[in-house]
Amino acid sequence: MNPLCIQAVVFDFDGVLVDSEPIRFKAGARALEEIGVSLTWDRFMRFWLGRTDDAGLRDLLGDRFEADGQCVVARRNALYEERLDEVPAFPDTVRLMERVPDGTKLAVATGSRRMEVDRILTRLRLVSRLHAIVTAEDYARAKPAPDPFLAAARRLDLPPASCLVIEDSLAGITAAHAAGMPVVAVDRGRGAVGLEQADWRVADLDELSLTPAGAVGVRSR
């Protein structure tokens, strides 16, 4: 890769900035169980993680999607909202936010809803650290399309190539590359597939550093 001059870090939300995926899984599994469909963690990671609800549930429900899909989404959302105050931040991500060089902007680009993101970030006292927050309401096409990340670059008033994306899903990695952005995959050890397609892959974000000149450093495991 050509030398970079990173001026911003754009975080995915679920699974990167906050540890919400186990709670999302339980909410989705319960919503599906109520209509007689079983959801395992492996199937959640394969079909639903990093994708839109429609895309994930079309694969999980098959012919039942048209009849049951939107009811499952509504029920999952309601169950998840009941537990938003339990969602913690990942400590390694907060530490990265604290040590990025002065002048490096921080943003979130996510497929989650604005209400969820704002409520969690406000409780965690992270809103003031972010220069842009892009949620599902802010773009037309979800990941793996580049729209979320391009929207973040516009709000940051930066060229896409100067924005370093941090992701935990293949859909997010694909979206970042489509936007012309370098991407780091953080592997939380939960079975996500396709992470090797990122420019860098780390076990946690303590392995990642940025220099004042905008170079990316990754500590060997």
Side-chain angles (χ1 to χ4, degrees), residues 6 8 149-150 153-154 158-165 176 179-182:
I6 298 303
F149 294 123
L150 292 175
R154 287 193 297 270
L158 291 172
S162 71
C163 299
L164 179 68
V165 170
M181 299 179 179

Side-chain angles (χ1 to χ4, degrees), residues 13 26 63 120 131 154 157 212:
F13 190 66
K26 290 177 182 178
D63 293 341
I120 293 170
H131 298 83
R154 287 193 297 270
D157 195 25

Side-chain angles (χ1 to χ4, degrees), residues 139 141-152 154 171 174-181:
Y139 49 82
R141 299 179 301 163
K143 304 171 189 178
D147 299 31
F149 294 123
L150 292 175
R154 287 193 297 270
T174 302
H177 282 157
M181 299 179 179

Side-chain angles (χ1 to χ4, degrees), residues 12 20 41 176:
D12 178 39
S20 56
W41 177 259

